[in-house]
Amino acid sequence: MSFSLSELFALHHGLPRQGPGSDETTARLLALAGPVPPRPRILDLGCGPGRSALVLAAATGGHVTGVDLHQPYLDQFLDSADRAGLRAQVTAMRCSMDALPFPDRSFDLVWCEGAAYNLGFATALDSWRRLLAPGGVLVVTEIEFTGTDPSPATVDFWAERYPLRYPDDNREIAAAAGYTVLAHHRLPEADWWSEYYDPLLARVSGVDTAAAAEVRAETELRREHGADYDYAGYVLRPNRTDKTPMWTTRPETPADRAAIHAVNAAAFPTAEEADLVDALRADSQAWIDGLSMVAVAPGGEIAGFALITRCEVGGEPALALAPCAVRPEYQGKGAGAAAIRACLDAARHLDENLVVVLGHPEYYPRFGFTPASGFGVRASFDVPDEALMALSLDASRPTPAGVIRYPAAFGV
Ligand code: SAH
């Protein structure tokens, strides 16, 4: 087995999938994951050309962030999303699945078809757990022995390539990583062929390279010894281990206005922020319905608040996150973060992109904010470089640069 990566990528370029699977299987695994919240936040790791990502976006109406290392696959993913009319529901991100820049608990579904082997099943399960929001589910497909005694040909072939385990071993790994296995679903044989091996074989026909030979060897093994091994989907729910209160987040309603005023008045030394929120609400240029978010405590009280309003950067529309407030008795328990996350998600759903925030440089990076100077974004007043931060909600689109113009109510 020795072939160059570029040779391999050339062979695989433009194929519908880069591993066994089918739209039907993706839909089936989604059903096995149980009910998902409306407009779920979904992360598809090693998304490749994006087949599963598009099924998930279409089926849930949610937003799918597809992550892959290989830019041509991401381009293919975005093109397909365009054609399917799903472009607004997807984000493509080029980064490694072992260095994900997302905050904890930021996805309702974490998905990975035919790609967890890049990290190894155990490492993948262990490191992705933190990404799941309360109630979230992880779905991973993994190649494994079927359980019957595998033939020496199968054992030898995979010994050189990837450590296959038995389903019981994988269940044990899942349990050790803190998950309950909600379902274990074997992919049907057709999932290996119709969108993966068949198009790949057609492409290597007559090709005499090491990579082509590898494709032929792998498919031959499947044909002759397919009963020895399978791809299986694991549907996994993290066991609850902490006592963190579950904040419910939702956009403000007219009935919340007094409570929101009170939260801001309680959180800050003066009523300035509370009044600012009321002034922004009255400014139709600044206010965007749905981007004033409350975090509600289990008892029903509004504990946290986050607001995003329209600003301009370099004369182009952008968003400003401010103010964020938590009632003193609830501070340090995640209510503010819950409100901010919900606010950013809602903005992403509205197809917004650049968000600026002026705040604590220790706090906002957990949401993905980095110094605004890196975006070429500046304030019109004096501010320490690290306190002015910005975030791109869709890294695949350009962001404006220049000076921020805040809504008049900010008085800056
Ligand atoms: N899920 C897709 C692709 C599976 S192939 C499908 O089912 O069709 C594995 C994918 O993992 C490839 O697209 C490859 O580019 C990607 N990949 C490999 N190493 C990666 C890494 N460290 N981080 C993110 N993606 C990676």
Side-chain angles (χ1 to χ4, degrees):
M1 268 205 306
S2 85
F3 32 80
S4 72
L5 266 185
S6 59
E7 196 187 333
L8 209 62
F9 280 136
L11 268 187
H12 285 252
H13 185 77
L15 296 179
R17 311 189 72 91
Q18 298 298 344
S22 62
D23 290 357
E24 293 71 29
T25 292
T26 300
R28 175 87 185 113
L29 291 170
L30 178 63
L32 291 170
V36 287
R39 305 244 252 160
R41 302 156 294 175
I42 303 171
L43 180 64
D44 191 341
L45 296 168
C47 66
R51 266 321 256 259
S52 51
L54 295 182
V55 171
L56 295 171
T60 64
H63 193 95
V64 184
T65 302
V67 165
D68 206 280
L69 269 185
H70 191 52
Q71 187 63 44
Y73 292 158
L74 294 172
D75 295 342
Q76 201 182 330
F77 166 39
L78 292 177
D79 279 352
S80 310
D82 252 337
R83 278 196 300 276
L86 295 168
R87 181 63 190 83
Q89 274 174 259
V90 304
T91 301
M93 268 188 68
R94 184 170 181 209
C95 74
S96 181
M97 56 172 77
D98 65 0
L100 298 167
F102 310 107
D104 292 354
R105 299 167 170 241
S106 48
F107 293 96
D108 302 301
L109 266 181
V110 175
W111 206 269
C112 182
E113 290 192 24
Y117 67 85
N118 289 301
L119 278 194
F121 192 62
T123 307
L125 265 51
D126 207 40
S127 62
W128 297 342
R129 193 179 183 287
R130 68 168 192 89
L131 297 168
L132 289 165
V137 172
L138 170 65
V139 174
V140 178
T141 68
E142 173 76 349
I143 188 168
E144 62 185 15
F145 290 129
T146 44
T148 54
D149 256 353
S151 63
T154 299
V155 173
D156 290 350
F157 182 90
W158 289 111
E160 284 177 37
R161 291 162 176 86
Y162 187 69
L164 268 59
R165 293 164 308 274
Y166 290 91
D168 281 349
D169 303 327
N170 283 333
R171 282 176 183 278
E172 227 166 82
I173 286 173
Y179 295 90
T180 299
V181 180
L182 297 180
H184 173 262
H185 173 73
R186 283 182 178 175
L187 273 54
E189 186 64 19
D191 278 14
W192 290 82
W193 298 96
S194 45
E195 291 188 351
Y196 185 45
Y197 281 164
D198 285 340
L200 203 48
L201 276 173
R203 196 163 283 186
V204 300
S205 157
V207 177
D208 184 22
T209 62
E214 172 70 7
V215 168
R216 281 191 283 269
E218 194 183 313
T219 50
E220 214 164 285
L221 183 80
R222 180 75 215 159
R223 214 168 260 134
E224 284 172 24
H225 299 284
D228 290 343
Y229 59 101
D230 262 328
Y231 245 92
Y234 283 82
V235 181
L236 305 168
R237 162 156 293 147
N239 305 322
R240 294 242 9 235
T241 51
D242 53 27
K243 305 258 185 308
T244 316
M246 304 255 281
W247 307 105
T248 318
T249 54
R250 56 170 176 77
E252 71 161 56
T253 66
D256 296 326
R257 286 177 190 171
I260 288 171
H261 190 98
V263 169
N264 282 281
F268 294 99
T270 72
E272 213 175 300
E273 279 78 7
D275 293 340
L276 169 64
V277 172
D278 292 331
L280 286 167
R281 197 182 284 115
D283 176 355
S284 61
Q285 308 252 310
W287 193 258
I288 303 174
D289 279 335
L291 298 188
S292 166
M293 207 58 79
V294 294
V296 182
E301 189 178 16
I302 292 183
F305 171 74
L307 177 64
I308 284 179
T309 52
R310 171 73 64 215
C311 69
E312 280 182 7
V313 168
E316 288 184 50
L319 299 176
L321 172 61
C324 303
V326 177
R327 290 193 85 92
E329 64 270 35
Y330 290 114
Q331 280 172 13
K333 300 192 172 94
I340 291 170
R341 246 168 233 146
C343 216
L344 294 171
D345 288 337
R348 189 177 286 112
H349 283 317
L350 292 178
D351 246 353
E352 294 286 346
N353 196 1
L354 187 73
V355 187
V356 296
V357 69
L358 183 59
H360 210 296
E362 295 288 308
Y363 185 65
Y364 289 95
R366 73 192 62 184
F367 308 106
F369 284 93
T370 53
S373 54
F375 290 83
V377 171
R378 307 182 302 283
S380 59
F381 45 90
D382 251 356
V383 51
D385 185 55
E386 67 276 11
L388 188 65
M389 290 163 275
L391 165 74
S392 168
L393 295 170
D394 180 350
S396 68
R397 292 180 10 227
T399 50
V403 176
I404 308 168
R405 216 179 110 215
Y406 283 94
F410 282 90
V412 292

PDB file of all heavy atoms in Angstrom, residues 197-225:
ATOM      1  N   TYR A 197     -18.474   2.177  -4.003  1.00  0.00           N
ATOM      2  CA  TYR A 197     -17.563   1.310  -4.751  1.00  0.00           C
ATOM      3  C   TYR A 197     -17.860   1.296  -6.256  1.00  0.00           C
ATOM      4  O   TYR A 197     -16.927   1.292  -7.071  1.00  0.00           O
ATOM      5  CB  TYR A 197     -17.605  -0.115  -4.205  1.00  0.00           C
ATOM      6  CG  TYR A 197     -16.805  -0.341  -2.929  1.00  0.00           C
ATOM      7  CD1 TYR A 197     -17.028  -1.485  -2.160  1.00  0.00           C
ATOM      8  CD2 TYR A 197     -15.811   0.548  -2.509  1.00  0.00           C
ATOM      9  CE1 TYR A 197     -16.302  -1.724  -0.996  1.00  0.00           C
ATOM     10  CE2 TYR A 197     -15.085   0.319  -1.350  1.00  0.00           C
ATOM     11  CZ  TYR A 197     -15.329  -0.831  -0.593  1.00  0.00           C
ATOM     12  OH  TYR A 197     -14.606  -1.075   0.543  1.00  0.00           O
ATOM     13  N   ASP A 198     -19.133   1.254  -6.641  1.00  0.00           N
ATOM     14  CA  ASP A 198     -19.432   1.176  -8.081  1.00  0.00           C
ATOM     15  C   ASP A 198     -18.862   2.364  -8.857  1.00  0.00           C
ATOM     16  O   ASP A 198     -18.129   2.162  -9.839  1.00  0.00           O
ATOM     17  CB  ASP A 198     -20.946   1.028  -8.325  1.00  0.00           C
ATOM     18  CG  ASP A 198     -21.442  -0.387  -8.000  1.00  0.00           C
ATOM     19  OD1 ASP A 198     -20.593  -1.316  -7.965  1.00  0.00           O
ATOM     20  OD2 ASP A 198     -22.651  -0.573  -7.774  1.00  0.00           O
ATOM     21  N   PRO A 199     -19.172   3.605  -8.449  1.00  0.00           N
ATOM     22  CA  PRO A 199     -18.576   4.740  -9.196  1.00  0.00           C
ATOM     23  C   PRO A 199     -17.051   4.766  -9.110  1.00  0.00           C
ATOM     24  O   PRO A 199     -16.377   5.140 -10.070  1.00  0.00           O
ATOM     25  CB  PRO A 199     -19.166   5.978  -8.507  1.00  0.00           C
ATOM     26  CG  PRO A 199     -20.167   5.516  -7.525  1.00  0.00           C
ATOM     27  CD  PRO A 199     -20.126   4.029  -7.428  1.00  0.00           C
ATOM     28  N   LEU A 200     -16.526   4.327  -7.981  1.00  0.00           N
ATOM     29  CA  LEU A 200     -15.073   4.311  -7.805  1.00  0.00           C
ATOM     30  C   LEU A 200     -14.442   3.274  -8.747  1.00  0.00           C
ATOM     31  O   LEU A 200     -13.429   3.535  -9.399  1.00  0.00           O
ATOM     32  CB  LEU A 200     -14.771   3.960  -6.337  1.00  0.00           C
ATOM     33  CG  LEU A 200     -13.435   4.365  -5.726  1.00  0.00           C
ATOM     34  CD1 LEU A 200     -13.080   5.807  -6.002  1.00  0.00           C
ATOM     35  CD2 LEU A 200     -13.475   4.106  -4.213  1.00  0.00           C
ATOM     36  N   LEU A 201     -15.077   2.107  -8.827  1.00  0.00           N
ATOM     37  CA  LEU A 201     -14.568   1.048  -9.710  1.00  0.00           C
ATOM     38  C   LEU A 201     -14.627   1.482 -11.167  1.00  0.00           C
ATOM     39  O   LEU A 201     -13.694   1.215 -11.933  1.00  0.00           O
ATOM     40  CB  LEU A 201     -15.384  -0.237  -9.521  1.00  0.00           C
ATOM     41  CG  LEU A 201     -14.966  -1.133  -8.358  1.00  0.00           C
ATOM     42  CD1 LEU A 201     -15.958  -2.274  -8.174  1.00  0.00           C
ATOM     43  CD2 LEU A 201     -13.552  -1.680  -8.564  1.00  0.00           C
ATOM     44  N   ALA A 202     -15.701   2.161 -11.525  1.00  0.00           N
ATOM     45  CA  ALA A 202     -15.813   2.628 -12.904  1.00  0.00           C
ATOM     46  C   ALA A 202     -14.642   3.556 -13.212  1.00  0.00           C
ATOM     47  O   ALA A 202     -14.079   3.546 -14.306  1.00  0.00           O
ATOM     48  CB  ALA A 202     -17.138   3.353 -13.103  1.00  0.00           C
ATOM     49  N   ARG A 203     -14.255   4.329 -12.218  1.00  0.00           N
ATOM     50  CA  ARG A 203     -13.190   5.294 -12.438  1.00  0.00           C
ATOM     51  C   ARG A 203     -11.807   4.647 -12.539  1.00  0.00           C
ATOM     52  O   ARG A 203     -10.945   5.139 -13.248  1.00  0.00           O
ATOM     53  CB  ARG A 203     -13.203   6.314 -11.305  1.00  0.00           C
ATOM     54  CG  ARG A 203     -12.417   7.516 -11.644  1.00  0.00           C
ATOM     55  CD  ARG A 203     -12.752   8.656 -10.747  1.00  0.00           C
ATOM     56  NE  ARG A 203     -14.018   9.294 -11.077  1.00  0.00           N
ATOM     57  CZ  ARG A 203     -14.442  10.398 -10.470  1.00  0.00           C
ATOM     58  NH1 ARG A 203     -13.710  10.955  -9.523  1.00  0.00           N
ATOM     59  NH2 ARG A 203     -15.582  10.937 -10.809  1.00  0.00           N
ATOM     60  N   VAL A 204     -11.592   3.559 -11.823  1.00  0.00           N
ATOM     61  CA  VAL A 204     -10.254   2.945 -11.857  1.00  0.00           C
ATOM     62  C   VAL A 204     -10.126   1.914 -12.974  1.00  0.00           C
ATOM     63  O   VAL A 204      -9.055   1.368 -13.189  1.00  0.00           O
ATOM     64  CB  VAL A 204      -9.869   2.261 -10.518  1.00  0.00           C
ATOM     65  CG1 VAL A 204      -9.874   3.277  -9.398  1.00  0.00           C
ATOM     66  CG2 VAL A 204     -10.763   1.072 -10.202  1.00  0.00           C
ATOM     67  N   SER A 205     -11.237   1.675 -13.666  1.00  0.00           N
ATOM     68  CA  SER A 205     -11.201   0.693 -14.742  1.00  0.00           C
ATOM     69  C   SER A 205     -10.107   1.068 -15.746  1.00  0.00           C
ATOM     70  O   SER A 205     -10.096   2.173 -16.288  1.00  0.00           O
ATOM     71  CB  SER A 205     -12.579   0.629 -15.396  1.00  0.00           C
ATOM     72  OG  SER A 205     -12.454   0.120 -16.696  1.00  0.00           O
ATOM     73  N   GLY A 206      -9.166   0.137 -15.961  1.00  0.00           N
ATOM     74  CA  GLY A 206      -8.083   0.384 -16.910  1.00  0.00           C
ATOM     75  C   GLY A 206      -6.958   1.248 -16.365  1.00  0.00           C
ATOM     76  O   GLY A 206      -5.976   1.484 -17.047  1.00  0.00           O
ATOM     77  N   VAL A 207      -7.129   1.742 -15.137  1.00  0.00           N
ATOM     78  CA  VAL A 207      -6.074   2.581 -14.549  1.00  0.00           C
ATOM     79  C   VAL A 207      -5.068   1.687 -13.833  1.00  0.00           C
ATOM     80  O   VAL A 207      -5.447   0.791 -13.085  1.00  0.00           O
ATOM     81  CB  VAL A 207      -6.671   3.605 -13.557  1.00  0.00           C
ATOM     82  CG1 VAL A 207      -5.568   4.414 -12.899  1.00  0.00           C
ATOM     83  CG2 VAL A 207      -7.662   4.506 -14.270  1.00  0.00           C
ATOM     84  N   ASP A 208      -3.786   1.946 -14.066  1.00  0.00           N
ATOM     85  CA  ASP A 208      -2.767   1.076 -13.503  1.00  0.00           C
ATOM     86  C   ASP A 208      -1.880   1.849 -12.531  1.00  0.00           C
ATOM     87  O   ASP A 208      -0.746   2.167 -12.828  1.00  0.00           O
ATOM     88  CB  ASP A 208      -1.932   0.486 -14.660  1.00  0.00           C
ATOM     89  CG  ASP A 208      -0.906  -0.504 -14.134  1.00  0.00           C
ATOM     90  OD1 ASP A 208      -1.113  -1.025 -13.026  1.00  0.00           O
ATOM     91  OD2 ASP A 208       0.102  -0.736 -14.840  1.00  0.00           O
ATOM     92  N   THR A 209      -2.471   2.202 -11.404  1.00  0.00           N
ATOM     93  CA  THR A 209      -1.675   2.889 -10.390  1.00  0.00           C
ATOM     94  C   THR A 209      -1.868   2.153  -9.077  1.00  0.00           C
ATOM     95  O   THR A 209      -2.772   1.312  -8.952  1.00  0.00           O
ATOM     96  CB  THR A 209      -2.153   4.343 -10.184  1.00  0.00           C
ATOM     97  OG1 THR A 209      -3.518   4.290  -9.718  1.00  0.00           O
ATOM     98  CG2 THR A 209      -2.087   5.149 -11.473  1.00  0.00           C
ATOM     99  N   ALA A 210      -1.028   2.506  -8.096  1.00  0.00           N
ATOM    100  CA  ALA A 210      -1.123   1.845  -6.792  1.00  0.00           C
ATOM    101  C   ALA A 210      -2.478   2.137  -6.148  1.00  0.00           C
ATOM    102  O   ALA A 210      -3.093   1.259  -5.532  1.00  0.00           O
ATOM    103  CB  ALA A 210       0.005   2.329  -5.885  1.00  0.00           C
ATOM    104  N   ALA A 211      -2.965   3.368  -6.320  1.00  0.00           N
ATOM    105  CA  ALA A 211      -4.248   3.723  -5.710  1.00  0.00           C
ATOM    106  C   ALA A 211      -5.395   2.941  -6.345  1.00  0.00           C
ATOM    107  O   ALA A 211      -6.320   2.491  -5.669  1.00  0.00           O
ATOM    108  CB  ALA A 211      -4.489   5.218  -5.837  1.00  0.00           C
ATOM    109  N   ALA A 212      -5.298   2.748  -7.671  1.00  0.00           N
ATOM    110  CA  ALA A 212      -6.331   1.980  -8.372  1.00  0.00           C
ATOM    111  C   ALA A 212      -6.306   0.526  -7.909  1.00  0.00           C
ATOM    112  O   ALA A 212      -7.357  -0.095  -7.695  1.00  0.00           O
ATOM    113  CB  ALA A 212      -6.123   2.063  -9.875  1.00  0.00           C
ATOM    114  N   ALA A 213      -5.114   0.006  -7.730  1.00  0.00           N
ATOM    115  CA  ALA A 213      -4.977  -1.381  -7.262  1.00  0.00           C
ATOM    116  C   ALA A 213      -5.575  -1.529  -5.861  1.00  0.00           C
ATOM    117  O   ALA A 213      -6.207  -2.543  -5.548  1.00  0.00           O
ATOM    118  CB  ALA A 213      -3.506  -1.784  -7.259  1.00  0.00           C
ATOM    119  N   GLU A 214      -5.386  -0.512  -5.045  1.00  0.00           N
ATOM    120  CA  GLU A 214      -5.927  -0.544  -3.680  1.00  0.00           C
ATOM    121  C   GLU A 214      -7.457  -0.579  -3.723  1.00  0.00           C
ATOM    122  O   GLU A 214      -8.098  -1.316  -2.980  1.00  0.00           O
ATOM    123  CB  GLU A 214      -5.424   0.675  -2.898  1.00  0.00           C
ATOM    124  CG  GLU A 214      -6.045   0.880  -1.528  1.00  0.00           C
ATOM    125  CD  GLU A 214      -5.620  -0.166  -0.502  1.00  0.00           C
ATOM    126  OE1 GLU A 214      -4.741  -0.989  -0.811  1.00  0.00           O
ATOM    127  OE2 GLU A 214      -6.196  -0.162   0.600  1.00  0.00           O
ATOM    128  N   VAL A 215      -8.027   0.220  -4.604  1.00  0.00           N
ATOM    129  CA  VAL A 215      -9.491   0.221  -4.745  1.00  0.00           C
ATOM    130  C   VAL A 215      -9.977  -1.169  -5.150  1.00  0.00           C
ATOM    131  O   VAL A 215     -10.937  -1.704  -4.590  1.00  0.00           O
ATOM    132  CB  VAL A 215      -9.944   1.272  -5.787  1.00  0.00           C
ATOM    133  CG1 VAL A 215     -11.420   1.076  -6.143  1.00  0.00           C
ATOM    134  CG2 VAL A 215      -9.697   2.686  -5.256  1.00  0.00           C
ATOM    135  N   ARG A 216      -9.274  -1.783  -6.114  1.00  0.00           N
ATOM    136  CA  ARG A 216      -9.690  -3.111  -6.577  1.00  0.00           C
ATOM    137  C   ARG A 216      -9.556  -4.142  -5.464  1.00  0.00           C
ATOM    138  O   ARG A 216     -10.433  -4.989  -5.265  1.00  0.00           O
ATOM    139  CB  ARG A 216      -8.887  -3.528  -7.814  1.00  0.00           C
ATOM    140  CG  ARG A 216      -9.423  -2.854  -9.089  1.00  0.00           C
ATOM    141  CD  ARG A 216      -8.818  -3.452 -10.352  1.00  0.00           C
ATOM    142  NE  ARG A 216      -7.463  -2.965 -10.556  1.00  0.00           N
ATOM    143  CZ  ARG A 216      -7.169  -1.867 -11.280  1.00  0.00           C
ATOM    144  NH1 ARG A 216      -8.129  -1.176 -11.863  1.00  0.00           N
ATOM    145  NH2 ARG A 216      -5.927  -1.484 -11.426  1.00  0.00           N
ATOM    146  N   ALA A 217      -8.476  -4.050  -4.688  1.00  0.00           N
ATOM    147  CA  ALA A 217      -8.268  -5.014  -3.604  1.00  0.00           C
ATOM    148  C   ALA A 217      -9.370  -4.886  -2.551  1.00  0.00           C
ATOM    149  O   ALA A 217      -9.919  -5.876  -2.065  1.00  0.00           O
ATOM    150  CB  ALA A 217      -6.893  -4.802  -2.970  1.00  0.00           C
ATOM    151  N   GLU A 218      -9.693  -3.630  -2.222  1.00  0.00           N
ATOM    152  CA  GLU A 218     -10.691  -3.406  -1.168  1.00  0.00           C
ATOM    153  C   GLU A 218     -12.082  -3.869  -1.601  1.00  0.00           C
ATOM    154  O   GLU A 218     -12.820  -4.489  -0.832  1.00  0.00           O
ATOM    155  CB  GLU A 218     -10.713  -1.925  -0.767  1.00  0.00           C
ATOM    156  CG  GLU A 218     -11.466  -1.683   0.540  1.00  0.00           C
ATOM    157  CD  GLU A 218     -11.578  -0.208   0.922  1.00  0.00           C
ATOM    158  OE1 GLU A 218     -10.561   0.511   0.857  1.00  0.00           O
ATOM    159  OE2 GLU A 218     -12.698   0.212   1.277  1.00  0.00           O
ATOM    160  N   THR A 219     -12.413  -3.585  -2.853  1.00  0.00           N
ATOM    161  CA  THR A 219     -13.747  -3.988  -3.327  1.00  0.00           C
ATOM    162  C   THR A 219     -13.835  -5.497  -3.494  1.00  0.00           C
ATOM    163  O   THR A 219     -14.874  -6.104  -3.233  1.00  0.00           O
ATOM    164  CB  THR A 219     -14.088  -3.301  -4.664  1.00  0.00           C
ATOM    165  OG1 THR A 219     -13.009  -3.488  -5.567  1.00  0.00           O
ATOM    166  CG2 THR A 219     -14.321  -1.824  -4.474  1.00  0.00           C
ATOM    167  N   GLU A 220     -12.726  -6.120  -3.904  1.00  0.00           N
ATOM    168  CA  GLU A 220     -12.708  -7.577  -4.049  1.00  0.00           C
ATOM    169  C   GLU A 220     -12.906  -8.252  -2.695  1.00  0.00           C
ATOM    170  O   GLU A 220     -13.646  -9.234  -2.580  1.00  0.00           O
ATOM    171  CB  GLU A 220     -11.367  -7.982  -4.640  1.00  0.00           C
ATOM    172  CG  GLU A 220     -11.415  -9.182  -5.558  1.00  0.00           C
ATOM    173  CD  GLU A 220     -10.137  -9.229  -6.370  1.00  0.00           C
ATOM    174  OE1 GLU A 220      -9.998  -8.418  -7.319  1.00  0.00           O
ATOM    175  OE2 GLU A 220      -9.253 -10.026  -6.021  1.00  0.00           O
ATOM    176  N   LEU A 221     -12.242  -7.702  -1.714  1.00  0.00           N
ATOM    177  CA  LEU A 221     -12.401  -8.268  -0.360  1.00  0.00           C
ATOM    178  C   LEU A 221     -13.863  -8.164   0.074  1.00  0.00           C
ATOM    179  O   LEU A 221     -14.431  -9.100   0.646  1.00  0.00           O
ATOM    180  CB  LEU A 221     -11.523  -7.521   0.644  1.00  0.00           C
ATOM    181  CG  LEU A 221     -11.573  -8.109   2.064  1.00  0.00           C
ATOM    182  CD1 LEU A 221     -10.662  -9.334   2.168  1.00  0.00           C
ATOM    183  CD2 LEU A 221     -11.180  -7.079   3.116  1.00  0.00           C
ATOM    184  N   ARG A 222     -14.456  -7.015  -0.238  1.00  0.00           N
ATOM    185  CA  ARG A 222     -15.868  -6.821   0.129  1.00  0.00           C
ATOM    186  C   ARG A 222     -16.740  -7.879  -0.551  1.00  0.00           C
ATOM    187  O   ARG A 222     -17.639  -8.449   0.057  1.00  0.00           O
ATOM    188  CB  ARG A 222     -16.315  -5.414  -0.284  1.00  0.00           C
ATOM    189  CG  ARG A 222     -17.756  -5.093   0.055  1.00  0.00           C
ATOM    190  CD  ARG A 222     -17.930  -4.821   1.538  1.00  0.00           C
ATOM    191  NE  ARG A 222     -19.197  -5.295   2.059  1.00  0.00           N
ATOM    192  CZ  ARG A 222     -19.427  -5.543   3.344  1.00  0.00           C
ATOM    193  NH1 ARG A 222     -18.480  -5.360   4.244  1.00  0.00           N
ATOM    194  NH2 ARG A 222     -20.588  -5.974   3.728  1.00  0.00           N
ATOM    195  N   ARG A 223     -16.454  -8.129  -1.827  1.00  0.00           N
ATOM    196  CA  ARG A 223     -17.269  -9.072  -2.586  1.00  0.00           C
ATOM    197  C   ARG A 223     -17.129 -10.479  -2.028  1.00  0.00           C
ATOM    198  O   ARG A 223     -18.110 -11.214  -1.907  1.00  0.00           O
ATOM    199  CB  ARG A 223     -16.825  -9.027  -4.053  1.00  0.00           C
ATOM    200  CG  ARG A 223     -17.968  -9.237  -5.016  1.00  0.00           C
ATOM    201  CD  ARG A 223     -17.562  -8.908  -6.436  1.00  0.00           C
ATOM    202  NE  ARG A 223     -17.990  -7.599  -6.880  1.00  0.00           N
ATOM    203  CZ  ARG A 223     -17.212  -6.725  -7.527  1.00  0.00           C
ATOM    204  NH1 ARG A 223     -15.945  -6.990  -7.768  1.00  0.00           N
ATOM    205  NH2 ARG A 223     -17.703  -5.573  -7.907  1.00  0.00           N
ATOM    206  N   GLU A 224     -15.898 -10.843  -1.702  1.00  0.00           N
ATOM    207  CA  GLU A 224     -15.666 -12.228  -1.298  1.00  0.00           C
ATOM    208  C   GLU A 224     -15.870 -12.474   0.186  1.00  0.00           C
ATOM    209  O   GLU A 224     -16.245 -13.564   0.595  1.00  0.00           O
ATOM    210  CB  GLU A 224     -14.244 -12.656  -1.704  1.00  0.00           C
ATOM    211  CG  GLU A 224     -14.172 -12.916  -3.190  1.00  0.00           C
ATOM    212  CD  GLU A 224     -12.750 -13.149  -3.664  1.00  0.00           C
ATOM    213  OE1 GLU A 224     -11.902 -13.552  -2.838  1.00  0.00           O
ATOM    214  OE2 GLU A 224     -12.495 -12.911  -4.861  1.00  0.00           O
ATOM    215  N   HIS A 225     -15.577 -11.454   0.989  1.00  0.00           N
ATOM    216  CA  HIS A 225     -15.619 -11.675   2.441  1.00  0.00           C
ATOM    217  C   HIS A 225     -16.466 -10.639   3.162  1.00  0.00           C
ATOM    218  O   HIS A 225     -16.252 -10.376   4.345  1.00  0.00           O
ATOM    219  CB  HIS A 225     -14.195 -11.674   3.015  1.00  0.00           C
ATOM    220  CG  HIS A 225     -13.337 -12.758   2.457  1.00  0.00           C
ATOM    221  ND1 HIS A 225     -13.458 -14.079   2.851  1.00  0.00           N
ATOM    222  CD2 HIS A 225     -12.363 -12.734   1.519  1.00  0.00           C
ATOM    223  CE1 HIS A 225     -12.587 -14.820   2.167  1.00  0.00           C
ATOM    224  NE2 HIS A 225     -11.908 -14.033   1.362  1.00  0.00           N
TER     225      HIS A 225
END
